[in-house]
Each structure stands twice: as structure tokens, then as C-alpha cells.
Amino acid sequence: MAAGREWQRHCERWVIKVGSALLTDSGRSVDGELIRSLAGEIDKLRSHGCQVVLVSSGAVAAGLLRLERPRRPTDLHELQAAAAIGQSALLRHYEEAFEILKTLTAQVLLGHDDVIARDRYLNARGTLKKLLELGVVPIVNENDTVATDEIRFGDNDTLAALVANLIDADVLVLLTDQPGLFDSDPRVSRTARLIEHRAAEDPELDNVVSGGGEFGRGGMVTKLRAARLAARSGTQTLIVDGHEPEPLNRLHSGEPIGTWLESPNAPQTARRQWLASLVSFKGTLVIDDGAVRVVQTSGRSLLPVGIISVTGVFSRGDVVVCKSASGKEVASGLSNYSSQELEKIIGKSSSDIPVLLGYGGEPEAIHRDNLVILR
């Protein structure tokens, strides 16, 4: 085993993205055998205690196959119609494959706003983490049916990287129809060599993917972009040929297949750095001495019972600063509630929230994962 890949054995949270070319057998038909194999591998990962989110491309391609369209249209509404038709076909294949393994799946359709806007970010994060806690395999796709921008090939690479940030993934695996990232186009160069390991931010990689032809304009450009986005969140990225025998379980065993684009940070460290960079506070929470002690020394969440007062007008997902009664800044984070909602529940037990608000909500005012201690 090559040095440097032992870390793969210890990954607990995986985001796996599978491309359209793999799922539709390069546009010929939906590859049910590959989907069953993929489901089996994910089941093995889960048997090792891993949590897995699957980001699936292929809805548009599958829809065009069912419509018997030999070429991809340019009309946006026709692409959206194809996505709607293909999405149900793909999901049926996934459900049948996982049902044999007695594993529940859940379809999650996301737009990029769902993982960028902080209020939607909290909703999407909470839903995905709850599905994982319940032992369900979320199957994520971009909501192509109602997308307002032109649907583009490779967009799900970016979406997969954003999902990796969303759930604090250890690793992002981009399954494609290539062995990995090469130093030149292997289809035209006999001397092209597989890049086994580079830093995701290595500027030389831009030259590798910027050449002419389909190789330069196609999936590797978006995969490099996705790897860099994932790297900022502390997630390692692996680009691997999905046609390889049991690629996921070989990765889990530490085998050095494909291309590893490295992030220098651990996911939690990078996430807290990201939160710490959000310095524009929309409001202030004054918290009591007990809450100060718990937040600073125990790394626990901030509960409504520990809040004394709320100032400012803010929405769910906005960044607020927490201060002690003496005015010292203690922490900052993403609020699970608007200022108006918090006014109704401060000083109260979390169990009282449904009665006070008239609907259920998070037990925490700020979850510990979204809280940064200010020293």
C-alpha cells in the first residue's frame, strides 16, 4: 500500500457523487447493474460504521433516454421536463437496489441556494444529518426541474462539494468514467500520466484541465473546482473510475486508486474557520454566567434557557454574537431562530418551545457545530 492513503480507512462520513456517463452507460441506457453494485458497496461502507450521502447525476440523461431523444436539447424547459421524467426512473432503480439490502433511501432535491443561504443551509443540514442518524441513505440531486439557470453538465460536482461542507464530510468521492486526473489528455497523448496526489489548491492543476477539446471543457474542470470547494471545508477529494471493481471498498481499505486532491485541514477545523470569518453580526445575545461557562469550557450548544436578552433584528441562519452580562464577547454563531422567535423563548426550557411558538423547532438556540468561541 502506498504511503499517505491510510487516512481513507478512517473516514466516517462519505459523500459519493456518481456521474451521468456512468449511470446511463454513456447515454445508451440506465445502467441498473452499476446502480446495484454501487448500492452494495455503500451497504458495505455502512456495515463498517460509515455514513454515506449519495449525490446522483443522470436525471436529464435518463429522461432523454425515456423520451428517445438522441441528442441533448438546448431548450431549458425541455431539459427540465427531461429531468422530471428521468428523476423518477433513477430513483426507482436506486430504491429497488437498496430495498434488496433492506436499506431505506430518501430523495433530497437541492438547489445551490439551499446550501449557500444560511437559513436554508441550516434546514438542509439538519435534514441530512437526521436522515443519517436514522440509518437512511440520502440520494441528492440538484432540483433541475425548477432550476432557473441553464442546466449544465458537471453542476452536480459543485453540488456534491457543497453537500460535503453541509454535513462535515471526511471525504468526497467523485466517481467518473476516467481513472482520475491526468497531467495531459490521455485520449490524445501517449505520455499522459495519472496524477495520484496533489494539493487541491496547486495552481499547476489549472494548466492540466484548461486544454482544448472535450477533456479541457468537460468534467475535470468542474471536478477540480469541486475539490477546491471541498478543500475549504476540510474535505479530502478522490476522483476515481466508477468502472473499477469495487472502487469504494478499495478506497476504504486504503488502496491508492484514482487521484487524491488534498485539503490541509480537518473538517471541523475548517468549518470553525469558516464560521469565524463571518464577522458581520446581525444581533446580540446576552447570556448568563452558567451559559458562558458551558459554552466556553464544555463545547456545548447554547440553549434558550441561558439567554438573558436579545438585541437586533435577525432571521434564522444569521450570525449573532453572544456576550456575557458584563459585555464581554464570548462566542458567535448561526442562530436557529429569528430575533422575534427568540424573544418568546429566552430563559425557557427547550421542551417549552412548541407551546411558546406554536410549532416545534430545534432545542438549541445555537448548535455547538455552528458556534465559535471568541478568545
Side-chain angles (χ1 to χ4, degrees):
M1 185 183 302
R5 293 291 194 104
E6 181 68 17
W7 62 269
Q8 295 171 182
R9 299 170 58 89
H10 306 291
C11 291
E12 296 181 355
R13 192 167 289 170
W14 296 58
V15 173
I16 298 165
K17 184 265 179 179
V18 57
S20 297
L22 284 175
L23 288 172
T24 60
D25 194 18
S26 297
R28 288 185 285 272
S29 63
V30 174
D31 194 336
E33 183 177 348
L34 183 136
I35 289 175
R36 288 189 292 274
S37 175
L38 181 62
E41 285 211 85
I42 289 173
D43 189 61
K44 286 183 182 178
L45 285 177
R46 284 161 40 83
S47 73
H48 291 298
C50 300
Q51 294 181 326
V52 180
V53 174
L54 178 63
V55 178
S56 176
S57 294
V60 173
L64 293 175
L65 285 170
R66 297 186 79 182
L67 289 168
E68 299 183 347
R69 296 286 198 274
R71 293 186 179 181
R72 184 182 177 89
T74 57
D75 178 73
L76 174 61
H77 296 302
E78 190 168 355
L79 286 168
Q80 291 173 326
I85 294 166
Q87 192 67 252
S88 60
L90 272 181
L91 191 64
R92 186 178 71 251
H93 280 282
Y94 282 124
E95 284 185 332
E96 290 174 352
F98 280 102
E99 187 176 13
I100 294 172
L101 303 168
K102 302 186 185 307
T103 298
L104 287 175
T105 61
Q107 183 183 38
V108 181
L109 296 177
L110 293 175
H112 285 181
D113 285 348
D114 294 321
V115 285
I116 294 175
R118 286 195 290 273
D119 56 344
R120 295 186 186 182
Y121 171 96
L122 288 174
N123 286 330
R125 175 181 169 85
T127 299
L128 285 172
K129 296 192 88 169
K130 178 56 67 175
L131 287 170
L132 292 173
E133 288 173 13
L134 293 171
V136 176
V137 176
I139 300 174
V140 178
N141 200 342
E142 185 173 16
N143 197 359
D144 293 335
T145 304
V146 296
T148 55
D149 295 325
E150 180 184 1
I151 301 172
R152 298 177 301 277
F153 279 118
D155 212 41
N156 277 343
D157 292 327
T158 302
L159 181 61
L162 292 171
V163 169
N165 167 254
L166 202 65
I167 66 165
D168 306 327
D170 298 302
V171 63
L172 167 63
V173 180
L174 302 176
L175 293 178
T176 183
D177 57 353
Q178 297 289 328
L181 182 61
F182 284 82
D183 59 8
S184 59
D185 188 345
R187 291 173 292 188
V188 299
S189 173
R190 293 182 179 181
T191 61
R193 297 181 61 185
L194 179 70
I195 297 172
E196 295 185 2
H197 178 206
R198 289 280 186 88
E201 297 297 337
D202 187 340
E204 292 185 6
L205 295 176
D206 294 298
N207 298 326
V208 170
V209 301
S210 63
E214 288 299 319
F215 181 74
R217 294 196 302 272
M220 288 303 165
V221 175
T222 62
K223 285 172 177 54
L224 177 58
R225 185 187 308 133
R228 287 174 171 169
L229 180 58
R232 294 185 203 132
S233 307
T235 301
Q236 309 298 327
T237 297
L238 298 166
I239 304 173
V240 179
D241 188 347
H243 291 303
E244 287 273 358
E246 298 192 335
L248 299 180
N249 288 288
R250 289 164 65 189
L251 289 173
H252 184 257
S253 70
E255 190 171 336
I257 59 174
T259 298
W260 169 24
L261 297 179
E262 184 177 2
S263 168
N265 297 316
Q268 195 59 238
T269 300
R271 176 174 172 75
R272 292 192 181 277
Q273 288 175 346
W274 170 71
L275 287 169
S277 71
L278 302 175
V279 295
S280 179
F281 303 133
K282 294 294 184 68
T284 300
L285 308 182
V286 177
I287 62 178
D288 62 30
D289 292 342
V292 170
R293 194 162 47 249
V294 166
V295 167
Q296 284 193 320
T297 62
S298 303
R300 287 157 60 185
S301 302
L302 175 65
L303 302 179
V305 70
I307 302 174
I308 299 171
S309 65
V310 178
T311 57
V313 178
F314 53 88
S315 302
R316 170 178 165 83
D318 281 340
V319 184
V320 296
V321 62
C322 303
K323 294 183 178 181
S324 67
S326 63
K328 180 183 177 181
E329 292 188 352
V330 175
S332 65
L334 306 183
S335 177
N336 279 334
Y337 293 96
S338 69
S339 52
Q340 187 176 16
E341 290 170 324
L342 278 179
E343 289 282 5
K344 298 177 181 179
I345 63 175
I346 59 173
K348 305 297 184 182
S349 170
S350 297
S351 60
D352 295 331
I353 291 175
V355 174
L356 294 170
L357 295 183
Y359 48 85
E362 303 291 341
E364 311 90 358
I366 304 176
H367 193 276
R368 63 179 180 272
D369 289 348
N370 298 322
L371 196 63
V372 176
I373 306 303
L374 300 176
R375 301 295 182 184

